[in-house]
Amino acid sequence: MNVLWTWIAAGLTLAIFSFLYKDNPFYKFAEHIYVGSSAAFWFIYLWYFDIKPKLLDAWVMNTGFEKYILIVPAILSVMMLTRFIPQIAWISRWAIAFTVGMGAGLGITGALQGFLVPQVQATMLPLWEPVSSSTLYNLGHSLNNLLLVLGTITAIFYFYFSREHKGGLGVLSKIGITFIMVAFGASFGYTIMARVSLLIGRIYFLFHDWLHLV
Amino acid sequence: MMRRTIPLIITFISGILLVFALFIPHKPFGNLEERFNDWYIIVSGFTMILGMDSLLLHHWNKIRRRQADWFHSAALIVAFAVTLVWGFYSGIKVGNPFDPKSTFLQYFYTYVFVPLQATMFSLLAFFIASAAYRAFRARTLNATLLLVAAVVVMLGRVPKGSGASVVLFGIALVALAVGLVLHGRSLVDLRGQLLAYGGAALSILAIIPIAKYFPTYLPAVADWIMNIPQLAAKRGIFIGIALGGIAMSLRIILGIERTYLK
C-alpha cells in the first residue's frame, strides 16, 4: 500500500518540478489537484478546529446564557450564506459588517498589544550598559543598543512622506534606508535558505523514499 | 437604512466594544475579546463556503462550456470532492480526521498534500535565484549592502558555508581588484590612477583577514546581522505598520472607510 502512495507522491512531485522546463499539462494537472484538495483540506481543518469546537460542541457542552449566546454567531453565519440568494443577498452585509468591525477592533488592540507597545518598549535601551567587567565587551554591547535605537528611529523616518527628504530628514532617511537594505538582504537570504531546505527535502524524498538510491 | 446604516452601526459597535475591552478588563467587557474572537472565527469560517462556491462554480462553467483545459477543471473538482468526502468519512470513523490513526492523515496528508505543497514552495528556490541575479547587482551602495547581507546570512546558516565564504568573497575581491586595475589603466590623471591601483591592492590584501577570520566568525556575523541591523529596521517597519493599522481601523469603525459595503 505504502509503495503505491510513494509512487503517487513521486509522480505529483515530478509533475510540479516539470514546470522548471516550461508550463505543461502535467504541471497544470498537479496544480489543479493541489488547488482542489487544498480548498477541501482547509475547509475540513476549519470545521474540525474552529466551527465544530467553538459552535457545535460548545452548544452541547454549555448551559444557560453561555449556550444561548451562541445563537448570535450562528445567525451571523447563516446571514453570510444569504449571498447565495440574490433577492436577500444584502443581508450578508450585516455579517460582513460584524467581521469587518471585529477585524478593525482587533486591528487596534492587536496593533497596540502585539506591535506598537512591545516594539517601542524593546527599543528603549540604555545607550551605555556595563554588563561585564570587560570595557571592550561593554562598548560592543552598548554600540549594538545604539545601532538598534538608531536603526529603528531612522527606518521610521524613511517612511515619513509628509515632507521632502531634504536636510536633516534627508540624512536620517538615508541612514534608515541603509538599515532597511541590510534587513531586506538578510530576510531574502533567510527565505532562500528556507526554500532550499524544502527543495532538499523533496529531492531527498525522490532519491531516498522513492528510488532508494541514497 | 437596512442595507447601509445598520451595517455601519454593527461595524461601529463590534469594533468599539473591543477597544473598550482593552481599556476596561472587567465585567461586562472582561471576556468580550475572547468571546468576539470566537464568533469572528466561526463567521469567517462560513465565508470559506462562499469561496469554495466561487471556485467550484468557475471550474464547473469551464467544464460545461468545454473551454480550453476543461479536463484540468474536472481534475480539480474530483480532487476537491474526494478530499472532502475522505476527510469527513475519517472524521466520522475515528472522531477527527487529523488523528494519527485516520487514513486521511496517514495517506492523503502525507502522500498528496505535503508533497504538492512542499514541491510548490520549493519551486520558489529556483525563481528566487533568478530574481536574485537581477536584484543583486552591486551597482549602488544600497544594492551592495543587500547583496552582502543576503550572502553572509545564507553562508552563515549552513555547516560548510564558512569555508565556501572564503572562496566566494576571495573571488569577488580578486574580480574587484582586476576591475579597478583595468579602470585605472583607462584613466589619464595620476591621482585617479593611484586611487584605483590603491583600491586594487587593498582588495587583494583584504583576502588575508577574510581567509583567517571568516571560517570562525561568519555564523556570529550572520547572527549579528539578524539580531541588530535587521531587527532594528524590522522594528521601524512594524511600528509603522501598527500606526497605519490603527489609523485604518479607526477609519473603518467611525464609518469613514466604507468600501466593504460596495
Side-chain angles (χ1 to χ4, degrees):
Chain A
M1 187 73 165
N2 278 354
V3 174
L4 176 71
W5 282 104
T6 307
W7 274 80
I8 290 171
L12 292 171
T13 303
L14 289 174
I16 291 194
F17 275 143
S18 70
F19 186 73
L20 291 171
Y21 169 60
K22 67 175 185 181
D23 199 3
N24 63 77
F26 295 108
Y27 171 75
K28 272 189 182 161
F29 177 76
E31 185 195 29
H32 280 74
I33 296 261
Y34 175 51
V35 174
S37 57
S38 287
F41 175 83
W42 287 114
F43 181 70
I44 292 164
Y45 184 90
L46 268 175
W47 182 266
Y48 279 95
F49 287 100
D50 291 336
I51 298 171
K52 189 172 171 280
K54 290 183 196 307
L55 188 67
L56 304 180
D57 294 349
W59 175 266
V60 175
M61 285 193 303
N62 288 318
T63 51
F65 177 76
E66 289 299 319
K67 182 187 180 103
Y68 293 108
I69 195 74
L70 288 169
I71 291 171
V72 180
I75 289 172
L76 286 168
S77 302
V78 174
M79 278 179 166
M80 193 66 95
L81 300 181
T82 57
R83 281 191 92 84
F84 289 126
I85 308 158
Q87 291 84 0
I88 52 164
W90 60 269
I91 296 176
S92 67
R93 281 183 176 188
W94 293 19
I96 293 168
F98 173 75
T99 52
V100 169
M102 278 288 311
L106 286 172
I108 293 178
T109 56
L112 278 172
Q113 289 175 311
F115 282 97
L116 198 62
V117 175
Q119 299 293 343
V120 171
Q121 206 171 22
T123 312
M124 289 184 181
L125 296 162
L127 298 181
W128 173 251
E129 192 179 21
V131 286
S132 153
S133 56
S134 158
T135 314
L136 198 68
Y137 184 86
N138 288 338
L139 206 66
H141 185 77
S142 302
L143 189 69
N144 280 344
N145 284 0
L146 181 70
L147 283 173
L148 266 172
V149 174
L150 184 75
T152 307
I153 293 170
T154 53
I156 295 170
F157 270 111
Y158 178 75
F159 292 105
Y160 180 71
F161 298 120
S162 299
R163 265 184 60 196
E164 200 180 344
H165 287 186
K166 281 196 319 198
L169 184 62
V171 174
L172 285 173
S173 72
K174 268 204 180 108
I175 299 170
I177 190 66
T178 307
F179 274 93
I180 290 167
M181 280 297 159
V182 173
F184 284 168
S187 303
F188 195 91
Y190 203 71
T191 311
I192 287 183
M193 295 316 289
R195 301 298 182 211
V196 168
S197 69
L198 273 176
L199 179 67
I200 292 168
R202 294 322 300 154
I203 289 170
Y204 183 76
F205 164 78
L206 289 175
F207 283 90
H208 179 76
D209 297 12
W210 184 46
L211 297 172
H212 304 291
L213 290 176
V214 288
Chain B
M1 169 78 180
M2 300 288 269
R3 295 176 190 220
R4 288 193 73 84
T5 313
I6 290 184
L8 284 172
I9 292 168
I10 292 172
T11 303
F12 178 78
I13 291 172
S14 54
I16 210 79
L17 277 177
L18 273 174
V19 179
F20 282 157
L22 175 72
F23 293 105
I24 313 167
H26 312 289
K27 277 188 175 178
F29 299 106
N31 63 345
L32 205 66
E33 187 174 346
E34 197 187 333
R35 190 189 295 279
F36 268 28
N37 208 13
D38 282 354
W39 291 8
Y40 180 66
I41 290 167
I42 294 164
V43 179
S44 26
F46 274 79
T47 57
M48 179 100 184
I49 297 173
L50 300 177
M52 287 189 319
D53 169 67
S54 170
L55 177 79
L56 294 175
L57 204 65
H58 171 76
H59 286 279
W60 175 247
N61 285 336
K62 272 182 93 172
I63 297 168
R64 214 160 41 90
R65 290 172 194 154
R66 290 285 188 276
Q67 285 178 349
D69 296 336
W70 64 269
F71 43 90
H72 293 310
S73 296
L76 182 144
I77 291 176
V78 170
F80 178 87
V82 169
T83 310
L84 200 71
V85 171
W86 194 352
F88 280 115
Y89 173 73
S90 283
I92 293 162
K93 208 174 169 191
V94 293
N96 191 323
F98 299 95
D99 189 291
K101 284 184 291 209
S102 88
T103 54
F104 182 74
L105 198 75
Q106 278 173 358
Y107 297 111
F108 168 77
Y109 184 76
T110 314
Y111 293 102
V112 178
F113 189 73
V114 169
L116 281 170
Q117 183 160 276
T119 316
M120 199 62 97
F121 283 111
S122 74
L123 271 187
L124 288 177
F126 294 96
F127 298 116
I128 281 181
S130 82
Y133 174 73
R134 282 188 286 272
F136 286 2
R137 279 188 234 178
R139 283 180 179 163
T140 60
L141 175 69
N142 286 339
T144 312
L145 281 172
L146 193 88
L147 169 73
V148 172
V151 171
V152 168
V153 168
M154 278 190 283
L155 293 173
R157 300 263 157 181
V158 286
K160 299 281 179 193
S162 305
S165 70
V166 176
V167 180
L168 272 173
F169 278 91
I171 291 169
L173 286 169
V174 168
L176 180 67
V178 171
L180 284 170
V181 167
L182 290 175
H183 179 64
R185 282 177 69 181
S186 66
L187 295 172
V188 280
D189 65 312
L190 188 66
R191 192 168 160 270
Q193 277 186 337
L194 279 174
L195 273 173
Y197 292 144
L202 275 176
S203 304
I204 297 293
L205 284 174
I207 295 172
I208 300 163
I210 281 176
K212 199 173 173 188
Y213 297 113
F214 256 38
T216 320
Y217 294 108
L218 194 75
V221 173
D223 282 345
W224 182 82
I225 288 176
M226 290 303 284
N227 294 333
I228 306 296
Q230 200 259 160
L231 185 66
K234 228 160 87 176
R235 268 191 194 157
I237 293 169
F238 279 158
I239 290 170
I241 290 172
L243 291 170
I246 291 170
M248 189 64 190
S249 298
L250 279 174
R251 281 174 64 86
I252 291 170
I253 290 172
L254 297 174
I256 302 165
E257 180 66 49
R258 302 173 177 196
T259 41
Y260 64 94
L261 289 176
K262 280 181 183 167

